[in-house]
Structures are given as C-alpha cells and as structure tokens.
Amino acid sequence: MAITLVNPAGLPEVPVYRQVAVASGSKLVFVAGQVAWGAGGATVGEGDLAAQVEQCYLNIATALDGAGGSFEDVAKLTVYVVDWTPDKMPLLLEGVARAAAKLGVTPVPPATLLGVAALDVPEHLVEVEATAVLD
C-alpha cells in the first residue's frame, strides 16, 4: 500500500478524514474534478446533494480503477460545493457513506472542502477531485 493515513498527536481527530497522508509509492495519479455525470453523460441526482456526492465518489473510483488504483491509494481529496453552508454537511456525509457502502471502502484521506459560487453547469451541486499514489 502506497498511502498511510494518520492523525498526529496534537491535531484534532475528525471522523470523516485523516489529517495526514504519507505516500511511499512512485506513480502519481491526478483525477480531474468529477461531477455527478453517469456513464452516459447525464446528470445524476439533479437537486439532490447526497446523490450527487455519491456519484462523484463512484466516478472517482472508476477513474482510479482505470489507472490501476482504488480509493485505498488516494492521498488527497478536494470537494467543491455550490453555495456551501454548514447545514449541508449531513447530506454531504450521506453521499460519501452511500458511495463507501457501494465500493466497500472507508474513504478518509485528507480532504479540503470549499464553497464555490457555481460549477460547470447549473444542475451540478458538487465536484470532487483526487490525487492518488500507486506503488
């Protein structure tokens, strides 16, 4: 495994991500920001943040698989949410949990959450990008 996730002493433990990812692999994989498009290019879950988060994570898993990796190899996630407010956190976490259950993983690499004014098209509520390291 090329990634070790840790919570160093002196930093808070956050249940949905780890504070640090230590990479020992040699192949970097940069996954473009994934939005809630299904394989056919149609938006999944229009108006439903949890459904869109789930689809973004499933798309990341598909992209990583195409590069020979999985969520186990993710060193960093960046999540962009349109018009973010803290009351949206339960929906975001629900989407992550649904994707995790489908994928059989616990996706907890270091993550950054950013509120944005808009994404590529008005029906997209979230975009997630990933950086992974493979052996």
Side-chain angles (χ1 to χ4, degrees):
M1 193 70 37
I3 301 293
T4 302
L5 302 176
V6 295
N7 277 320
L11 293 176
E13 287 194 26
V14 180
V16 296
Y17 66 88
R18 302 299 175 260
Q19 295 286 358
V20 176
V22 179
S24 61
S26 59
K27 181 179 178 182
L28 294 176
V29 179
F30 299 93
V31 178
Q34 296 297 304
V35 293
W37 279 328
T43 298
V44 173
E46 192 167 337
D48 182 342
L49 180 60
Q52 289 198 16
V53 169
E54 177 183 5
Q55 186 64 46
C56 290
Y57 274 64
L58 295 175
N59 289 349
I60 287 172
T62 299
L64 291 169
D65 183 62
S70 72
F71 254 101
E72 302 289 326
D73 302 304
V74 174
K76 176 76 167 67
L77 291 172
T78 304
V79 180
Y80 304 90
V81 182
V82 174
D83 297 326
W84 173 257
T85 55
D87 63 308
K88 293 180 181 178
M89 184 62 82
L91 292 171
L92 186 137
L93 295 177
E94 177 186 335
V96 172
R98 290 181 353 200
K102 284 185 179 177
L103 297 168
V105 300
T106 304
V108 292
T112 298
L113 172 62
L114 299 167
V116 296
L119 292 170
D120 58 332
V121 295
E123 57 268 13
H124 289 158
L125 305 175
V126 62
E127 184 169 327
V128 182
E129 63 184 24
T131 302
V133 181
L134 307 180
D135 285 324

